[in-house]
Amino acid sequence: MPDPTQAAPQRAMPYLPFTRPTIDVATIAGVADVLRSGWITSGPYVKDFEARLSEYVGGRPVRVFNSGTCTMEIALRIAGVGPGHEVITTPLSWVATSNVILEVGARPVFVDIDPKTRNIDLDRVEAAVTPATRAIIPVDLAGLPVDRDRLHGIAGRHRLRVVEDAAQAFGSRWKGRRIGSFGDFVSFSFHPNKNITTIEGGALVLNDQKEARLAEQYRLQGVVRSGYDGMEVELAGGKFNLTDVAARVGLGQLQRLEEFTDKRRDLAHLYFKHFAAPRVRELGLGLPPEDFGHSNWHMFQVVLPEERLAIRRAQVMERMHAAGVGTGVHYPAIHLFALYRKMGWKDGDFPNAEYAGRNILTLPLFPAMTGSDVARVVDTLAEVLKGEMKS
Ligand SMILES: *Cc1c(COP(=O)(O)O)cnc(C)c1O
């Protein structure tokens, strides 16, 4: 028998993941229509999705693919980057950014990050340029754009191609202009964690129809069709096409981009408000730049104060998880992975990226979150850290 004098047991708070896609019922119904239509791989929805993305970036050619990763590999191939060439990039990114450089046979050249923006330090890029340098792959970490004026200035001076890894920056702007609407190659990802999703998928913004045609060839076995039965193959393409089912998800997502971005921005404002409380500020966490003009707030990341903490990030994450709050790591420094160490990189090569790689922590941020979720995240983090500060 339950004891009637006891208060009802508190319902446990639902687990708060660090991210979660928002897929609406109209999109789900639209996907069902595609599944019933008899044509489920690349077809009319892919064409429509490409047309709308092209509209979004001011009319530049856009092609869609089954990942963001392959778009960067294909951009490098179109640019003619290969063995004997160097590509400058950041050590603080998803490992895809530098794996694609290896994939085309070139060598990554890492340049440390600016600890304030957590993006590649543009002050150090020109010193890394050699006669073998062909391209730069900047990354807009957490959606905060790399300074596009300086970036394209440097690329222009040294005649380098740019493959913007804007996987996290769909919806971001540079001085009012949409990321993707200018520059050289621009790569987006539609992985479920990104600001809009196609489940898996990506898009590449190109400069002209010639590049777009090459992108189509690299996307599907190098095949070029003509007339009723004509088929030619001139290059060894791969298998990177997006399905119509995925494109239909993307079309439903794209319609809500502005709403999603606004919601993320509001939640980021709230994070700053809660982190400004004196009892939280004294914990000494590194906060992202308060940039409300450019970023799409793909993530809200803090950097734990390693010197002052008696516990490591893994324990912080474990305790947050136990308290019902999910967190993530984006990312460990790339040059310290075994594959890259074997190629000669070592501890101490890029101290700013290494410090961030050890201590950066992604907090929950997604459109379906509420203001009280933000308060709960900051309270939980402050509670976990409070008892673990070295005096
Ligand atoms: C997600 C992501 C990628 C790769 O995108 P996929 O669609 O997963 O292939 C590349 N770079 C960065 C910075 C990313 O966040």
Side-chain angles (χ1 to χ4, degrees):
M1 276 282 282
D3 177 355
T5 63
Q6 288 244 296
Q10 277 256 269
R11 268 262 299 281
M13 292 251 230
Y15 190 82
L16 184 67
F18 77 82
T19 190
R20 190 170 67 211
T22 296
I23 311 285
D24 54 42
V25 292
T27 301
I28 294 169
V31 165
D33 290 343
V34 177
L35 289 170
R36 278 190 286 260
S37 74
W39 190 275
I40 57 178
T41 187
S42 311
Y45 287 93
V46 162
K47 285 256 185 283
D48 192 17
F49 189 36
E50 287 178 340
R52 308 248 168 163
L53 288 167
S54 176
E55 229 168 79
Y56 175 79
V57 296
R60 301 184 74 200
V62 178
R63 293 297 179 271
V64 296
F65 301 82
N66 58 17
S67 77
T69 304
C70 74
T71 67
M72 293 193 284
E73 182 186 323
I74 289 169
L76 291 173
R77 290 193 194 283
I78 294 172
V81 176
H85 298 154
E86 295 176 355
V87 178
I88 293 172
T89 193
T90 169
L92 190 69
S93 181
W94 176 225
V95 67
T97 309
S98 62
N99 280 352
V100 296
I101 300 169
L102 299 176
E103 195 61 40
V104 301
R107 180 172 174 83
V109 172
F110 296 111
V111 169
D112 207 355
I113 59 162
D114 170 348
K116 286 200 290 296
T117 63
R118 302 156 183 177
N119 286 334
I120 193 167
D121 186 346
L122 292 174
D123 285 338
R124 302 177 194 233
V125 166
E126 292 196 89
V129 175
T130 75
T133 311
R134 290 294 178 278
I136 311 178
I137 307 186
V139 177
D140 305 315
L141 194 71
L144 179 70
V146 170
D147 182 328
R148 291 300 195 270
D149 300 329
R150 295 191 62 200
L151 169 72
H152 290 292
I154 293 167
R157 273 198 294 287
H158 298 276
R159 300 177 172 280
L160 305 175
R161 297 302 300 266
V162 178
V163 181
E164 295 176 21
D165 181 348
Q168 302 183 2
F170 196 70
S172 297
R173 288 167 183 266
W174 178 251
K175 295 185 175 169
R177 301 167 78 191
R178 290 173 174 167
I179 295 301
S181 67
F182 63 98
D184 192 354
F185 295 108
V186 185
S187 162
F188 295 116
S189 166
F190 304 133
H191 177 275
N193 288 2
K194 304 295 156 62
N195 286 26
I196 70 164
T197 186
T198 59
I199 309 175
E200 298 288 353
L204 182 62
V205 186
L206 302 123
N207 295 288
D208 53 41
Q209 292 307 321
K210 185 167 159 267
E211 285 182 0
R213 191 179 133 95
L214 278 171
E216 289 173 8
Q217 288 172 260
Y218 282 116
R219 181 169 64 182
L220 204 83
Q221 317 291 3
V223 165
V224 178
R225 294 177 183 278
S226 57
Y228 265 49
D229 64 350
M231 189 191 295
E232 193 50 90
V233 176
E234 290 163 355
L235 57 82
K239 170 71 178 174
F240 302 120
N241 58 304
L242 192 74
T243 69
D244 261 18
V245 174
R248 179 61 188 85
V249 177
L251 284 162
Q253 292 274 289
L254 186 55
Q255 285 194 336
R256 300 190 60 183
L257 174 66
E258 216 169 308
E259 175 201 337
F260 288 169
T261 310
D262 289 348
K263 187 67 199 290
R264 285 174 177 276
R265 190 177 297 117
D266 290 348
L267 293 166
H269 268 297
L270 268 181
Y271 264 120
F272 283 111
K273 192 184 127 204
H274 288 290
F275 275 115
R279 75 183 168 87
V280 185
R281 211 165 49 199
E282 72 186 19
L283 297 170
L285 289 156
L287 299 182
E290 267 184 81
D291 184 321
F292 287 95
H294 298 105
S295 182
N296 66 357
W297 293 100
H298 170 60
M299 295 189 283
F300 194 98
Q301 299 176 290
V302 296
V303 177
L304 302 174
E306 186 179 70
E307 323 67 41
R308 301 177 54 193
L309 266 187
I311 52 174
R312 305 299 304 266
R313 178 177 59 193
Q315 292 166 282
V316 174
M317 295 177 76
E318 192 183 348
R319 292 185 197 177
M320 297 281 287
H321 175 77
V325 177
T327 56
V329 172
H330 305 89
Y331 297 95
I334 293 172
H335 66 286
L336 299 182
F337 287 130
L339 171 68
Y340 290 84
R341 285 182 187 271
K342 267 198 300 197
M343 291 186 274
W345 285 283
K346 57 189 187 313
D347 296 270
D349 284 347
F350 309 105
N352 296 336
E354 289 167 25
Y355 187 91
R358 286 193 305 272
N359 297 298
I360 203 161
L361 186 67
T362 305
L363 303 180
L365 181 59
F366 54 90
M369 258 174 78
T370 65
S372 55
D373 289 331
V374 173
R376 179 180 157 207
V377 173
V378 179
D379 283 347
T380 306
L381 180 60
E383 197 56 38
V384 166
L385 297 182
K386 204 178 60 189
E388 303 293 349
M389 304 305 286
K390 295 180 192 162
S391 43

